[in-house]
Amino acid sequence: MIAELGLALLWMAAALACLSLVAGIAFVRGGKAELAALVRPASVAQGVLTAASFALLIALFARSDMSVELVARNSHSLKPMLFKIAGAWGNHEGSMLLWLTILGLSGALVALFERRLREDTLIATLAAQAALSLGFFAFLLFSSNPFNRLPIAPPDGQGLNPLLQDPGLAFHPPTLYVGYVGLSVAFSFAVGALVTREVGPAFARAMRPWVLGSWIFLTLGITAGSYWAYYELGWGGWWFWDPVENVSLVPWLAGAALLHSVAVTATRNALRAWTVMLAVIGFSMSMVGTFIVRSGLLTSVHSFAVDPERGTFLLVLMAIYIGGALTLFALRAGTVAEGKTFALLSREGALVINNLLLTTILALVLLGTLYPIVAEAMGEKISVGPPYYNKVAGPLALILCLVMVAGPLLRWRRDDGRTLWSRLPLALFAGAAVLFGLVLFGGQVGILPLLGMTVAAVVAVASLAPLWKRNLRRTPLPVWGMVLAHFGVAVALAGMAAESAFIKERLVAAAPGETVRVADFSVTFQGVEPVAGPNYTAVKATLIAATPDGDRFVLHPAARTFPGLMGGPPTETNEAALLTRPGGQLYAVIGQPVTGADGAQRYQLRLWWKPLVWWIWLGGALIATGAAMALLGRAQLLAIWRARRARKLEERFA
């Protein structure tokens, strides 16, 4: 009964999306107020019904209702409750319903709280959002029904992919989806503004919190996903340049460019057309990522589907949405003035260079991601790995960081550069000190890590420059947010460069009682013991890591075996053990037993010392926190503006 109700709610929500679209188009074309009155409540009801449908899907997973095909394929009665619930979106159909739920709730929030746009622009925006929802409703209802019943319920389910049985599944996909859908809202705002020819500061101010919010969640999602893969997959890396990792990065890059561009449009009434184009590009990158992981083009732990028919459906949706938006932009481009002009040496000029670098990096990453897929479709196997990305994107990223240093120190419209040059010497001195220190005492350091640590020092010091000679108590929250986010970039960059430059690795076959040295640690292998988990068995090792100061730490890496369900083979996973110290992390993985020439049994033991690696995720958290402070500060400024406006109206009519 729950499955049937969930499906019925989806059909009702789809009908309301259709109503919002039709009524919105009719209002924009004819201007009848009674049609506009239908759009807001229909958008709110659509979001509520879609959320209720998704809640029912979660209930089916929590109850282990194996009569529902999706539950039987992706759950098991022995799984812990957290993984049962997370299993609701750890698959193709459930993740699409989560996507659609966030999309519907976003439209409901816009309908309830947006008051800055003209009525016709708001209605056109909600109609565009409804059009997006309709496409995904059709995708779910006609090709990916999450509530499909089985004729005969199996005694138990197949279980979730063991690599996904981690708390990261409860956090990583939802945060990424909120980020993706936030870009869809920006896309709808851009389409609405183009339809009604209201591309200006009001449209940008309405869009900005959605762009900022989506970018915050994308930052959190990518940061959490990176750490999840780092400790779960057991290979010791923090970024694999996997195609599916890349397609979460490119919307983040587009969102970063849009975030800076929309600020210029909202504040200085410039870059109007560029802001609209970036809104289209940002959502386009989200759609490209959705297509890649659900089309069957890739086989990966990240991928949700291997069904070409579903991929064709998504390809058609991409063509309709992206092609339609680009066509609308081409038709309206002549009516979108660029707004006020500015000099190259200005804050706007720095932001334009920032945008060009971000979009260039985006294009290079996208090229490296899609080219092997296209080549394979043409019968040729090509692999594009870290060397390509490091060589083409790494130098541009460092230049981008230096431009980021200059932007906040320049004035709007035009600047003579005096303030910039007066505040740079300390940052340049910090960079020079790090550079000479590494050259003299750092040993063999690659050129890219060397430049990365140097630029990180420059950015770290320069990021604090906007606070100089300010009353810190009266400094607006958005300024604090900008400073913290830019400082977070420096922290993350330093972590990436230091880990790449100074990583130490040991791979040995160790017997109980043997000691292995890695960096300054002496690691003694004490032995292994069997462990029985709720739905797996494991071999857990005990390692004693000692430092020269006499400190001793216990680590327990494990190798887990999940039984094959429904006649399938067993699955083995590595559970890394991490020891976090101020200077980095000791990373340990236990492998398979081997028998030596002397007949003694040994275990493969892999150890890494990764200097400052945890700074990467600390930097990501600082970036997201800074962006959240900026978002909160904008909300405070909006509340103050509304209060002042209300007082003026009261005084006017008193």
Side-chain angles (χ1 to χ4, degrees), residues 451-478:
L451 293 176
M453 285 182 277
T454 302
V455 171
V458 174
V459 174
V461 175
S463 65
L464 305 176
L467 299 177
W468 295 353
K469 298 182 181 180
R470 277 182 177 267
N471 183 335
L472 298 183
R473 292 184 177 180
R474 295 187 177 182
T475 300
L477 201 55

Side-chain angles (χ1 to χ4, degrees), residues 381-595:
K381 277 274 189 180
I382 293 177
S383 176
V384 176
Y388 163 79
Y389 296 103
N390 292 338
K391 289 179 181 178
V392 302
L396 291 178
L398 295 179
I399 296 172
L400 174 65
C401 289
L402 294 176
V403 174
M404 185 183 70
V405 166
L409 303 179
L410 294 170
R411 296 188 181 92
W412 294 104
R413 300 293 184 207
R414 182 180 300 276
D415 201 322
D416 56 13
R418 293 178 184 175
T419 302
L420 174 64
W421 297 118
S422 68
R423 294 186 179 181
L424 279 182
L426 185 59
L428 295 176
F429 175 78
V434 169
L435 177 62
F436 284 115
L438 290 171
V439 170
L440 294 176
F441 308 108
Q444 294 293 327
V445 180
I447 184 63
L448 202 58
L450 180 68
L451 293 176
M453 285 182 277
T454 302
V455 171
V458 174
V459 174
V461 175
S463 65
L464 305 176
L467 299 177
W468 295 353
K469 298 182 181 180
R470 277 182 177 267
N471 183 335
L472 298 183
R473 292 184 177 180
R474 295 187 177 182
T475 300
L477 201 55
V479 175
W480 281 106
M482 176 189 67
V483 168
L484 185 60
H486 288 182
F487 186 78
V489 171
V491 171
L493 179 59
M496 296 172 190
E499 193 269 351
S500 300
F502 303 118
I503 185 173
K504 304 293 183 183
E505 180 182 1
R506 287 295 305 277
L507 175 61
V508 298
E514 290 188 8
T515 298
V516 182
R517 290 195 60 84
V518 57
D520 291 333
F521 288 90
S522 296
V523 182
T524 302
F525 176 43
Q526 297 286 85
V528 299
E529 61 178 313
V531 174
N535 62 335
Y536 63 85
T537 58
V539 174
K540 182 177 74 173
T542 299
L543 307 177
I544 306 296
T547 67
D549 297 332
D551 296 327
R552 292 166 61 86
F553 306 93
V554 180
L555 293 87
H556 292 294
R560 292 181 179 177
T561 301
F562 293 81
L565 300 173
M566 307 295 288
T571 302
E572 296 181 352
T573 66
N574 286 312
E575 298 299 317
L578 304 178
L579 173 61
T580 302
R581 305 293 293 156
Q585 277 187 339
L586 181 63
Y587 188 112
V589 176
I590 189 75
Q592 296 297 318
V594 294
T595 302

Side-chain angles (χ1 to χ4, degrees), residues 193-194 197 199-200 271-274 276 329 332-339:
L194 284 173
R197 297 179 173 85
V199 178
L271 300 182
R272 294 178 179 179
W274 182 239
V276 171
F329 179 80
R332 290 285 197 268
T335 66
V336 181
E338 275 304 311

Side-chain angles (χ1 to χ4, degrees), residues 184-238:
S184 79
V185 176
F187 174 86
S188 296
F189 273 114
V191 170
L194 284 173
V195 168
T196 60
R197 297 179 173 85
E198 196 198 351
V199 178
F203 135 82
R205 285 191 289 269
M207 180 199 291
R208 181 161 55 181
W210 289 96
V211 176
L212 189 52
S214 71
W215 194 73
I216 291 169
F217 279 97
L218 281 174
T219 302
L220 289 173
I222 291 172
T223 302
S226 168
Y227 191 64
W228 178 17
Y230 169 75
Y231 72 75
E232 178 65 25
L233 297 182
W235 64 287
W238 52 269

Side-chain angles (χ1 to χ4, degrees), residues 54-140:
F54 184 63
L56 291 177
L57 181 65
I58 293 176
L60 291 170
F61 272 83
R63 295 175 56 184
S64 296
D65 187 343
M66 299 303 165
S67 68
V68 176
E69 182 182 4
L70 192 65
V71 179
R73 282 195 284 107
N74 297 279
S75 190
H76 193 276
S77 59
L78 295 180
K79 283 200 315 180
M81 181 56 70
L82 175 64
F83 300 146
K84 287 183 180 181
I85 294 173
W89 56 79
N91 56 80
H92 169 71
E93 293 85 351
S95 65
M96 287 307 300
L97 182 52
L98 174 60
W99 172 294
L100 189 56
T101 298
I102 300 171
L103 192 67
L105 290 176
S106 299
L109 291 174
V110 172
L112 286 171
F113 298 112
E114 181 52 55
R115 296 291 183 272
R116 284 167 288 187
L117 291 176
R118 283 190 341 229
E119 182 73 4
D120 58 341
T121 304
L122 176 60
I123 297 302
T125 298
L126 292 175
Q129 191 76 357
L132 294 179
S133 296
L134 268 178
F136 288 104
F137 274 122
F139 182 67
L140 270 180

Side-chain angles (χ1 to χ4, degrees), residues 77-394:
S77 59
L78 295 180
K79 283 200 315 180
M81 181 56 70
L82 175 64
F83 300 146
K84 287 183 180 181
I85 294 173
W89 56 79
N91 56 80
H92 169 71
E93 293 85 351
S95 65
M96 287 307 300
L97 182 52
L98 174 60
W99 172 294
L100 189 56
T101 298
I102 300 171
L103 192 67
L105 290 176
S106 299
L109 291 174
V110 172
L112 286 171
F113 298 112
E114 181 52 55
R115 296 291 183 272
R116 284 167 288 187
L117 291 176
R118 283 190 341 229
E119 182 73 4
D120 58 341
T121 304
L122 176 60
I123 297 302
T125 298
L126 292 175
Q129 191 76 357
L132 294 179
S133 296
L134 268 178
F136 288 104
F137 274 122
F139 182 67
L140 270 180
L141 293 171
F142 297 121
S143 73
S144 302
N145 178 12
F147 297 103
N148 188 44
R149 289 277 191 186
L150 291 171
I152 301 176
D156 217 328
Q158 297 180 26
L160 186 66
N161 184 335
L163 290 175
L164 300 179
Q165 294 188 36
D166 185 271
L169 181 64
F171 180 80
H172 172 56
T175 49
L176 275 183
Y177 287 178
V178 171
Y180 290 154
V181 173
L183 291 177
S184 79
V185 176
F187 174 86
S188 296
F189 273 114
V191 170
L194 284 173
V195 168
T196 60
R197 297 179 173 85
E198 196 198 351
V199 178
F203 135 82
R205 285 191 289 269
M207 180 199 291
R208 181 161 55 181
W210 289 96
V211 176
L212 189 52
S214 71
W215 194 73
I216 291 169
F217 279 97
L218 281 174
T219 302
L220 289 173
I222 291 172
T223 302
S226 168
Y227 191 64
W228 178 17
Y230 169 75
Y231 72 75
E232 178 65 25
L233 297 182
W235 64 287
W238 52 269
W239 194 264
F240 190 64
W241 291 109
D242 178 280
V244 185
E245 287 183 331
N246 293 351
V247 296
S248 69
L249 178 63
V250 288
W252 185 87
L253 293 169
L258 177 58
L259 180 62
H260 292 88
S261 178
V262 77
V264 175
T265 305
T267 307
R268 314 308 298 179
N269 193 21
L271 300 182
R272 294 178 179 179
W274 182 239
T275 297
V276 171
M277 179 56 69
L278 281 177
V280 175
I281 291 174
F283 178 67
S284 301
M285 294 302 99
S286 297
M287 286 291 295
V288 168
T290 304
F291 170 71
I292 286 178
V293 300
R294 300 168 196 280
S295 62
L297 291 175
L298 297 173
T299 301
S300 163
V301 67
H302 300 87
S303 300
F304 285 117
V306 290
D307 185 352
E309 292 184 4
R310 290 173 174 174
T312 303
F313 201 127
L314 286 171
L315 192 61
V316 171
L317 288 182
M318 283 176 57
I320 293 172
Y321 294 144
I322 300 172
L326 292 176
T327 301
L328 179 62
F329 179 80
L331 294 174
R332 290 285 197 268
T335 66
V336 181
E338 275 304 311
K340 298 180 180 179
T341 59
F342 51 85
L344 179 61
L345 188 61
S346 64
R347 186 173 297 189
E348 295 97 326
L351 291 175
V352 168
I353 297 173
N354 162 294
N355 270 219
L356 292 174
L357 288 169
L358 281 168
T359 50
T360 302
I361 295 171
L362 183 157
L364 292 171
V365 172
L366 191 63
L367 176 64
T369 302
L370 296 181
Y371 183 70
I373 298 174
V374 175
E376 186 173 353
M378 300 175 67
E380 186 176 358
K381 277 274 189 180
I382 293 177
S383 176
V384 176
Y388 163 79
Y389 296 103
N390 292 338
K391 289 179 181 178
V392 302

